[in-house]
Amino acid sequence: MTKHMPEPERLDGTLEQATSVFTRTRPRLFGIAYRVLGSVAEAEDVVQDTWLRWQGADRPAIANPTAFLALITTRLAINISKSARSQRETSIGPWLPERVGTGTDPALEAERGEALELALLLLLQRLTPTERAAYILREAFDYPYAQIAEVLQVSPVNTRQLVTRARKHLTTARRGPIDRAEHRRLVEIFLSAAQTGDTAALEDHFAANAAGPFKSRGRGAMRSAALHGDRVA
């Protein structure tokens, strides 16, 4: 028995029907834009621009509205990604995508997870351990330079230089060897820190990679204990 695919919905040109189609398709459009841009705000802007273009389109002449909207969204997102590349070299940009509340949308959550894993993989390939630590703490967790310097046991001036070099190296095509176990560990502790706000394990990880294992409980553990009023031996 031959199965026939359902015919794409034909539009009558009314704004009410256009709004209905767009509302149903919007989660997919946001997912497309977010995967390209890695930014919630920019993805929302792209979806809004898509809506404006959808309003002005000759909708009754469009055979497949869903495909049309997806195509417009993809083109807009790629254009923004290309035009904003130089400005985004100094921001979190495509290297560390923002966390987004995906609610009950498992597809979007999976896309976000894949984007984060890829971003951290690129950081492992292109940055030294100290550059990577300084960059992540500064760009993803908004650490002051002095606090990063304390974690890595370098001067604040050197910390600024590390972040600057990291931003520069992220624009190059260099590739270094990847330790898959290290990649998995970095993804795990990054997600834990982002979700809970407790960065002690992340600090300890970076400090150990930058300067070797500490004989004490670790800088992150000591800082966490101090913040919570615990006694540190």
Side-chain angles (χ1 to χ4, degrees), residues 8 21 25 28-29 32 62-74:
V21 171
T25 314
R28 179 187 175 191
L29 303 181
I32 291 171
I62 298 172
N64 190 327
T66 301
F68 174 84
L69 289 168
L71 179 60
I72 293 298
T73 301
T74 301

Side-chain angles (χ1 to χ4, degrees), residues 1 5 35 39 50-51 70 74 125 157 163 169 181 216 220 231:
M1 182 176 179
M5 296 296 292
R35 182 159 52 182
S39 165
T50 301
W51 164 245
T74 301
Q125 289 177 325
V157 172
V163 174
H169 290 161
S216 65
R231 181 188 178 96

Side-chain angles (χ1 to χ4, degrees), residues 43-57:
E44 291 284 4
D45 287 343
V46 166
V47 173
Q48 181 62 29
D49 287 345
T50 301
W51 164 245
L52 294 175
R53 297 196 179 203
W54 178 235
Q55 285 182 297

Side-chain angles (χ1 to χ4, degrees), residues 80-91 94 167 171:
I80 289 177
S81 178
K82 289 180 178 178
S83 64
R85 184 169 298 160
S86 59
Q87 290 88 345
R88 294 175 65 179
E89 285 172 4
T90 58
S91 70
R167 290 167 176 163
T171 66

Side-chain angles (χ1 to χ4, degrees), residues 136-160:
I136 291 177
L137 291 175
R138 178 65 181 174
E139 300 292 353
F141 294 94
D142 200 27
Y143 269 46
Y145 286 108
Q147 189 174 340
I148 300 173
E150 181 183 354
V151 172
L152 300 181
Q153 289 294 278
V154 297
S155 72
V157 172
N158 286 343
T159 300
R160 289 180 180 272

Side-chain angles (χ1 to χ4, degrees), residues 22 40 51 62 86 91 115-116 133 147 158 174 184 191 205:
F22 186 84
V40 175
W51 164 245
I62 298 172
S86 59
S91 70
L116 177 60
Q147 189 174 340
N158 286 343
R174 73 176 187 173
R184 288 193 298 272
L191 283 175
H205 178 79

